[in-house]
Amino acid sequence: VSNEELVAFYEIADLFLCASEHEGFCVPLVEAFYKQVPVLAYAATAVPSTMDGAGVLFEDKDAVHVAGLMDAIVSNAAVQDEIVEGQLAAVDRLEDKLAGYHAYHATRADLLRRLGCSQKSRAAYDKAIELAGNTAETAYLTRRRDQLG
């Protein structure tokens, strides 16, 4: 999927459903958080930690149960708004925890670039460059930032 297609998918999505039983950090959850798409995810492995109290977790993978949760979210704008507000707060908490770690900012910059947020991506690359510990990494991050145009 190209970056443009990825952004388009998030922009038209009413909900992000993750039913995986084997996820690590699960970057697509954070992508959906950034794009303000309500997330409904199976509570397995690292998904609950990644979501950090945001979104909606489920433990019963019965299709009727999951469909009911999906309907409850997509049919109620107030519920969607509440979920998205919690997800944005989780992104802020993640930022607070990792603010001094250059790799966080580099990863965030790449994520924002993929999501079409060039200005925010540039700022994240600038922060990663500021915190980078060696010239090779600084040069690499600078090249990535400069590719934004």
Side-chain angles (χ1 to χ4, degrees), residues 37-78:
V37 176
V39 172
L40 175 62
Y42 183 59
T45 60
V47 169
S49 294
T50 301
M51 291 181 57
D52 192 22
V56 176
L57 292 169
F58 63 93
E59 295 180 358
D60 180 355
K61 289 182 76 173
D62 174 74
V64 174
H65 173 72
V66 175
L69 292 172
M70 293 170 66
D71 182 60
I73 294 167
V74 299
S75 64
N76 188 326

Side-chain angles (χ1 to χ4, degrees), residues 33 50-55 85-95:
F33 283 14
T50 301
M51 291 181 57
D52 192 22
E85 184 178 310
Q87 292 173 181
L88 293 173
V91 168
D92 289 344
R93 287 190 299 275
L94 182 62
E95 169 100 17

Side-chain angles (χ1 to χ4, degrees), residues 16 30 43 47 61-62 64 86-87 95 113-114 133 135 144-146 148:
F16 183 94
V30 179
V47 169
K61 289 182 76 173
D62 174 74
V64 174
Q87 292 173 181
E95 169 100 17
R113 178 190 56 78
R114 289 178 38 122
T135 56
R144 295 290 292 177
R145 180 199 60 201
D146 293 348
L148 293 170

